[in-house]
Amino acid sequence: MFDTPAQAHQVIEERFAPNMVEMVAGALRPAMVFSVKNDDKLGGSRIGGTPDLPKVIEWPRRPVPDDIDEIAKRAGEPFDADLRRHLAASLPYAFMAQVDLGEAAGLGDVAKPLPDAGRLLFFYDLIAGPFDTGVQSAKVIWDRSPAEALAHAAMPDSLVTAASAYRTMIDDTNRQYGIQPDARPVRRSRAHPMAVLPDRWL
């Protein structure tokens, strides 16, 4: 939201009454955001694409939940049957992002809660996640392997098949409603600090 505290203060002064400026400025919190970069080093930060994994770590799969029927019901008919099949298949998670913790540590106080070495890998079940409030819809891995032990992981075949079917469904829906799809390229990213307002202010 704001690159520096000075920038934040200036914007707040322009938009709030003088007696509210310090209250709003006092609510600012540090945050880490990502901007595009050109290099694609092994273990570097990225959003989308595939993760960098050592041979000893397999692409994680979602475990089959005990309450498949309960989760599937939340999708409503006729989608509950598809969601039930998806949950029973124990498919690999979709890869969302990778954060280079060494790079993040260089940002100072904003990264203090994070480990200072390795990388965080974020995975999510894009199909069932919106209907499941439990912890099984996502997976975070803290990998401390050295960069020389990493390789760009190939997407598992079962995930390729599931992703293709999902894209076909999205394309069909877009055509039905005249929506132009957005291109979603892999974004090689660099972390940098910012100041943001807490959710309750937004």
Side-chain angles (χ1 to χ4, degrees), residues 144-159:
R144 288 161 278 187
S145 306
E148 57 269 19
L150 301 176
H152 292 308
M155 191 179 293
D157 290 342
S158 55
L159 185 57

PDB file of all heavy atoms in Angstrom, residues 144-159:
ATOM      1  N   ARG A 144      14.907 -26.335   3.628  1.00  0.00           N
ATOM      2  CA  ARG A 144      16.207 -25.731   3.939  1.00  0.00           C
ATOM      3  C   ARG A 144      17.331 -26.334   3.108  1.00  0.00           C
ATOM      4  O   ARG A 144      18.499 -26.188   3.430  1.00  0.00           O
ATOM      5  CB  ARG A 144      16.499 -25.900   5.429  1.00  0.00           C
ATOM      6  CG  ARG A 144      15.631 -25.005   6.294  1.00  0.00           C
ATOM      7  CD  ARG A 144      15.571 -25.464   7.727  1.00  0.00           C
ATOM      8  NE  ARG A 144      14.574 -26.528   7.847  1.00  0.00           N
ATOM      9  CZ  ARG A 144      14.188 -27.047   9.003  1.00  0.00           C
ATOM     10  NH1 ARG A 144      14.721 -26.632  10.121  1.00  0.00           N
ATOM     11  NH2 ARG A 144      13.282 -27.997   9.034  1.00  0.00           N
ATOM     12  N   SER A 145      16.983 -27.021   2.029  1.00  0.00           N
ATOM     13  CA  SER A 145      18.002 -27.626   1.174  1.00  0.00           C
ATOM     14  C   SER A 145      18.867 -26.547   0.524  1.00  0.00           C
ATOM     15  O   SER A 145      18.376 -25.470   0.187  1.00  0.00           O
ATOM     16  CB  SER A 145      17.346 -28.446   0.057  1.00  0.00           C
ATOM     17  OG  SER A 145      16.449 -29.381   0.594  1.00  0.00           O
ATOM     18  N   PRO A 146      20.157 -26.824   0.317  1.00  0.00           N
ATOM     19  CA  PRO A 146      20.998 -25.865  -0.414  1.00  0.00           C
ATOM     20  C   PRO A 146      20.531 -25.741  -1.855  1.00  0.00           C
ATOM     21  O   PRO A 146      19.962 -26.677  -2.423  1.00  0.00           O
ATOM     22  CB  PRO A 146      22.397 -26.469  -0.320  1.00  0.00           C
ATOM     23  CG  PRO A 146      22.174 -27.916  -0.038  1.00  0.00           C
ATOM     24  CD  PRO A 146      20.896 -28.017   0.744  1.00  0.00           C
ATOM     25  N   ALA A 147      20.780 -24.596  -2.460  1.00  0.00           N
ATOM     26  CA  ALA A 147      20.306 -24.325  -3.821  1.00  0.00           C
ATOM     27  C   ALA A 147      20.808 -25.351  -4.818  1.00  0.00           C
ATOM     28  O   ALA A 147      20.101 -25.728  -5.754  1.00  0.00           O
ATOM     29  CB  ALA A 147      20.714 -22.915  -4.253  1.00  0.00           C
ATOM     30  N   GLU A 148      22.041 -25.859  -4.610  1.00  0.00           N
ATOM     31  CA  GLU A 148      22.594 -26.833  -5.555  1.00  0.00           C
ATOM     32  C   GLU A 148      21.878 -28.177  -5.514  1.00  0.00           C
ATOM     33  O   GLU A 148      22.034 -28.995  -6.415  1.00  0.00           O
ATOM     34  CB  GLU A 148      24.099 -27.019  -5.326  1.00  0.00           C
ATOM     35  CG  GLU A 148      24.483 -27.450  -3.942  1.00  0.00           C
ATOM     36  CD  GLU A 148      24.773 -26.271  -3.002  1.00  0.00           C
ATOM     37  OE1 GLU A 148      24.331 -25.138  -3.309  1.00  0.00           O
ATOM     38  OE2 GLU A 148      25.433 -26.492  -1.988  1.00  0.00           O
ATOM     39  N   ALA A 149      21.059 -28.416  -4.493  1.00  0.00           N
ATOM     40  CA  ALA A 149      20.297 -29.673  -4.410  1.00  0.00           C
ATOM     41  C   ALA A 149      18.920 -29.550  -5.046  1.00  0.00           C
ATOM     42  O   ALA A 149      18.170 -30.522  -5.100  1.00  0.00           O
ATOM     43  CB  ALA A 149      20.147 -30.098  -2.944  1.00  0.00           C
ATOM     44  N   LEU A 150      18.584 -28.374  -5.558  1.00  0.00           N
ATOM     45  CA  LEU A 150      17.242 -28.129  -6.079  1.00  0.00           C
ATOM     46  C   LEU A 150      17.152 -28.368  -7.581  1.00  0.00           C
ATOM     47  O   LEU A 150      18.148 -28.308  -8.294  1.00  0.00           O
ATOM     48  CB  LEU A 150      16.829 -26.674  -5.801  1.00  0.00           C
ATOM     49  CG  LEU A 150      16.806 -26.223  -4.344  1.00  0.00           C
ATOM     50  CD1 LEU A 150      16.479 -24.739  -4.269  1.00  0.00           C
ATOM     51  CD2 LEU A 150      15.809 -27.037  -3.535  1.00  0.00           C
ATOM     52  N   ALA A 151      15.934 -28.616  -8.028  1.00  0.00           N
ATOM     53  CA  ALA A 151      15.634 -28.700  -9.457  1.00  0.00           C
ATOM     54  C   ALA A 151      14.214 -28.183  -9.658  1.00  0.00           C
ATOM     55  O   ALA A 151      13.371 -28.299  -8.765  1.00  0.00           O
ATOM     56  CB  ALA A 151      15.750 -30.139  -9.959  1.00  0.00           C
ATOM     57  N   HIS A 152      13.955 -27.591 -10.844  1.00  0.00           N
ATOM     58  CA  HIS A 152      12.582 -27.190 -11.162  1.00  0.00           C
ATOM     59  C   HIS A 152      11.737 -28.461 -11.230  1.00  0.00           C
ATOM     60  O   HIS A 152      11.982 -29.331 -12.062  1.00  0.00           O
ATOM     61  CB  HIS A 152      12.520 -26.461 -12.503  1.00  0.00           C
ATOM     62  CG  HIS A 152      13.192 -25.119 -12.503  1.00  0.00           C
ATOM     63  ND1 HIS A 152      12.918 -24.140 -11.576  1.00  0.00           N
ATOM     64  CD2 HIS A 152      14.116 -24.585 -13.334  1.00  0.00           C
ATOM     65  CE1 HIS A 152      13.644 -23.066 -11.834  1.00  0.00           C
ATOM     66  NE2 HIS A 152      14.382 -23.311 -12.894  1.00  0.00           N
ATOM     67  N   ALA A 153      10.768 -28.584 -10.351  1.00  0.00           N
ATOM     68  CA  ALA A 153       9.938 -29.787 -10.304  1.00  0.00           C
ATOM     69  C   ALA A 153       8.979 -29.825 -11.487  1.00  0.00           C
ATOM     70  O   ALA A 153       8.418 -28.799 -11.886  1.00  0.00           O
ATOM     71  CB  ALA A 153       9.157 -29.840  -8.994  1.00  0.00           C
ATOM     72  N   ALA A 154       8.810 -31.016 -12.046  1.00  0.00           N
ATOM     73  CA  ALA A 154       7.820 -31.207 -13.112  1.00  0.00           C
ATOM     74  C   ALA A 154       6.443 -31.380 -12.472  1.00  0.00           C
ATOM     75  O   ALA A 154       6.302 -32.052 -11.450  1.00  0.00           O
ATOM     76  CB  ALA A 154       8.174 -32.423 -13.947  1.00  0.00           C
ATOM     77  N   MET A 155       5.444 -30.774 -13.068  1.00  0.00           N
ATOM     78  CA  MET A 155       4.093 -30.918 -12.540  1.00  0.00           C
ATOM     79  C   MET A 155       3.640 -32.372 -12.668  1.00  0.00           C
ATOM     80  O   MET A 155       3.781 -32.970 -13.735  1.00  0.00           O
ATOM     81  CB  MET A 155       3.125 -30.004 -13.301  1.00  0.00           C
ATOM     82  CG  MET A 155       1.757 -29.907 -12.650  1.00  0.00           C
ATOM     83  SD  MET A 155       0.626 -28.799 -13.550  1.00  0.00           S
ATOM     84  CE  MET A 155       1.423 -27.223 -13.273  1.00  0.00           C
ATOM     85  N   PRO A 156       3.111 -32.977 -11.594  1.00  0.00           N
ATOM     86  CA  PRO A 156       2.644 -34.365 -11.675  1.00  0.00           C
ATOM     87  C   PRO A 156       1.575 -34.543 -12.757  1.00  0.00           C
ATOM     88  O   PRO A 156       0.735 -33.657 -12.958  1.00  0.00           O
ATOM     89  CB  PRO A 156       2.060 -34.621 -10.278  1.00  0.00           C
ATOM     90  CG  PRO A 156       2.726 -33.623  -9.389  1.00  0.00           C
ATOM     91  CD  PRO A 156       2.959 -32.411 -10.241  1.00  0.00           C
ATOM     92  N   ASP A 157       1.619 -35.689 -13.435  1.00  0.00           N
ATOM     93  CA  ASP A 157       0.678 -35.944 -14.538  1.00  0.00           C
ATOM     94  C   ASP A 157      -0.775 -35.801 -14.103  1.00  0.00           C
ATOM     95  O   ASP A 157      -1.606 -35.253 -14.839  1.00  0.00           O
ATOM     96  CB  ASP A 157       0.907 -37.345 -15.117  1.00  0.00           C
ATOM     97  CG  ASP A 157       2.216 -37.450 -15.875  1.00  0.00           C
ATOM     98  OD1 ASP A 157       2.777 -36.396 -16.241  1.00  0.00           O
ATOM     99  OD2 ASP A 157       2.688 -38.584 -16.098  1.00  0.00           O
ATOM    100  N   SER A 158      -1.089 -36.292 -12.899  1.00  0.00           N
ATOM    101  CA  SER A 158      -2.481 -36.226 -12.447  1.00  0.00           C
ATOM    102  C   SER A 158      -2.930 -34.788 -12.240  1.00  0.00           C
ATOM    103  O   SER A 158      -4.095 -34.446 -12.462  1.00  0.00           O
ATOM    104  CB  SER A 158      -2.664 -37.029 -11.152  1.00  0.00           C
ATOM    105  OG  SER A 158      -1.752 -36.590 -10.155  1.00  0.00           O
ATOM    106  N   LEU A 159      -2.000 -33.922 -11.846  1.00  0.00           N
ATOM    107  CA  LEU A 159      -2.341 -32.512 -11.679  1.00  0.00           C
ATOM    108  C   LEU A 159      -2.487 -31.833 -13.037  1.00  0.00           C
ATOM    109  O   LEU A 159      -3.362 -30.984 -13.223  1.00  0.00           O
ATOM    110  CB  LEU A 159      -1.268 -31.808 -10.842  1.00  0.00           C
ATOM    111  CG  LEU A 159      -1.542 -30.344 -10.483  1.00  0.00           C
ATOM    112  CD1 LEU A 159      -2.865 -30.178  -9.748  1.00  0.00           C
ATOM    113  CD2 LEU A 159      -0.393 -29.780  -9.642  1.00  0.00           C
TER     114      LEU A 159
END
